[in-house]
Amino acid sequence: QLVKLPYRHGSARAIAAAFNMQPSIISTPYILIGQHDNFFVRDVAYLASLLRYMEDESWLQCVHFPSTATLNYVTKVKRRYQLDIGKFCVGYNGGSFIPLVFWYGRTHLARSSYYTDFILRQCPDLQVSDHLEELFGTVQLNELNKIKKRSEDEFEDEFRRVHKKYSNYVYFDNDAPEEQMEVLYHMSGRKVRAATNSTPSEHEMPRPNNTDDAQKSNTRFNPPVNPHPNSFTSARRSIASVPGLEFVPSASGSSSKPPKKFKQNCFHCGKKGHSFKFCPSIQEETDMPSIDVLQI
């Protein structure tokens, strides 16, 4: 059912409005919360199995689909926040549920009661500009960061206690980090716009060669680029293309100088002092994508 709200609500208030409508429009025990700038680049072949598992495991409240932000997540969290979450992963069906340390506002699957009894109850007076990720993300991370200097036994007990409240996980159907693939793609509204030319771009990005799903859905999703070993992040860089959208051209001279000195190591070259956007070596290389119109 598509419900048209009478005025702009913003993402958080729109979710609350859906739950608060009378008569109720939500009657299922599970919900899929979708973000307008997230789209699936691969089929979720394990969805039915996942729902059956959630039926039997009441501790599992909220499950995210893999994205570039959560690839190789255990290593990323240990490297960035010095939190060792490996022992809290739960194996299932050849894959793992990995506890998130940050409440992401990405498209995810959750119990309906998770929102009515926890998320929305914590935010009774939502404003138009509110985003649940901003309300919960840093709060969860700060709570976990406060306990990381405890002894090993204390940390384990405290982590389980704190994370139980949020109960948010990302599920990978393959435990091998090198074989983990994105299911969701986050589209940046700052980098794309409605295409001015209605003719689709002739440039086709390479299809993933290990999924039939992408072949059937006509997905254009380029091979991910891994960060430099010295980079501050372990997340990969990926670009997908969508029909009807194009990259926003950079204003002349707008990106010639970074606004302030970058404190971390560059994603691309691994050197400290500049970000990927301002990396001087990029201009000398030919592996950067050149796409006019995004296509999926």
Side-chain angles (χ1 to χ4, degrees):
Q1 181 179 0
L2 182 63
V3 178
K4 183 179 180 180
L5 298 173
Y7 54 88
R8 178 174 177 265
H9 280 57
S11 62
R13 287 184 71 183
I15 293 171
F19 276 96
N20 294 331
M21 283 183 178
Q22 297 297 331
S24 176
I25 63 170
I26 297 176
S27 58
T28 57
Y30 302 98
I31 53 172
L32 183 72
I33 300 293
Q35 291 295 332
H36 70 283
D37 55 1
N38 288 187
F39 56 87
F40 289 91
V41 293
R42 290 179 179 82
D43 283 350
V44 187
Y46 54 82
L47 183 58
S49 174
L50 174 60
L51 287 169
R52 288 194 296 269
Y53 185 76
M54 292 182 73
E55 282 285 338
D56 297 330
E57 303 293 338
S58 60
W59 56 269
L60 190 57
Q61 298 288 318
C62 174
V63 181
H64 282 249
F65 303 102
S67 66
T68 53
T70 52
L71 292 177
N72 200 14
Y73 194 69
V74 173
T75 300
K76 173 184 176 180
V77 169
K78 189 171 184 178
R79 185 173 179 179
R80 182 175 292 185
Y81 305 118
Q82 294 76 55
L83 289 168
D84 189 356
I85 61 173
K87 66 177 67 176
F88 306 108
C89 299
V90 179
Y92 169 67
N93 201 25
S96 289
F97 291 98
I98 301 175
L100 296 172
V101 301
F102 186 92
W103 204 96
Y104 291 101
R106 304 288 173 87
T107 296
H108 59 273
L109 179 70
R111 298 179 190 272
S112 299
S113 58
Y114 178 71
Y115 270 80
T116 56
D117 299 344
F118 174 55
I119 297 296
L120 297 179
R121 187 169 291 181
Q122 297 289 318
C123 309
D125 300 312
L126 290 167
Q127 304 301 309
V128 172
S129 59
D130 286 340
H131 297 277
L132 294 178
E133 179 174 305
E134 295 174 357
L135 296 173
F136 286 95
T138 54
V139 173
Q140 179 182 4
L141 180 60
N142 288 339
E143 283 192 55
L144 293 172
N145 268 328
K146 288 178 181 178
I147 65 172
K148 65 184 179 184
K149 293 184 178 180
R150 305 279 181 90
S151 67
E152 185 175 347
D153 289 341
E154 287 182 331
F155 171 77
E156 183 171 347
D157 291 341
E158 283 297 291
F159 184 93
R160 295 187 187 281
R161 180 188 65 79
V162 173
H163 195 269
K164 183 179 180 180
K165 178 168 60 174
Y166 298 95
S167 192
N168 51 344
Y169 293 79
V170 59
Y171 178 69
F172 289 96
D173 59 351
N174 192 316
D175 269 340
E178 66 277 6
E179 296 182 20
Q180 292 177 353
M181 301 298 289
E182 297 91 336
V183 171
L184 282 182
Y185 181 82
H186 176 222
M187 183 173 60
S188 172
R190 297 179 181 181
K191 297 179 181 179
V192 295
R193 68 184 180 189
T196 54
N197 186 350
S198 59
T199 303
S201 168
E202 294 181 356
H203 179 93
E204 291 190 359
M205 304 180 77
R207 299 173 186 267
N209 57 17
N210 60 340
T211 63
D212 293 330
D213 302 329
Q215 299 282 351
K216 290 183 286 187
S217 64
N218 198 33
T219 297
R220 300 290 188 272
F221 191 63
N222 73 320
V225 178
N226 289 314
H228 190 280
N230 293 336
S231 172
F232 74 100
T233 181
S234 60
R236 302 189 299 194
R237 181 175 184 268
S238 298
I239 294 180
S241 42
V242 186
L245 297 179
E246 66 183 5
F247 283 113
V248 177
S250 299
S252 178
S254 63
S255 60
S256 59
K257 292 184 179 180
K260 57 183 179 180
K261 187 171 182 179
F262 192 66
K263 296 180 180 180
Q264 303 289 350
N265 291 350
C266 174
F267 175 98
H268 183 67
C269 71
K271 295 179 181 178
K272 192 170 184 177
H274 62 263
S275 65
F276 173 89
K277 182 178 179 180
F278 299 101
C279 181
S281 65
I282 287 179
Q283 301 301 324
E284 303 169 4
E285 300 177 9
T286 60
D287 62 346
M288 301 308 294
S290 57
I291 309 167
D292 294 324
V293 179
L294 300 168
Q295 293 189 22
I296 263 198

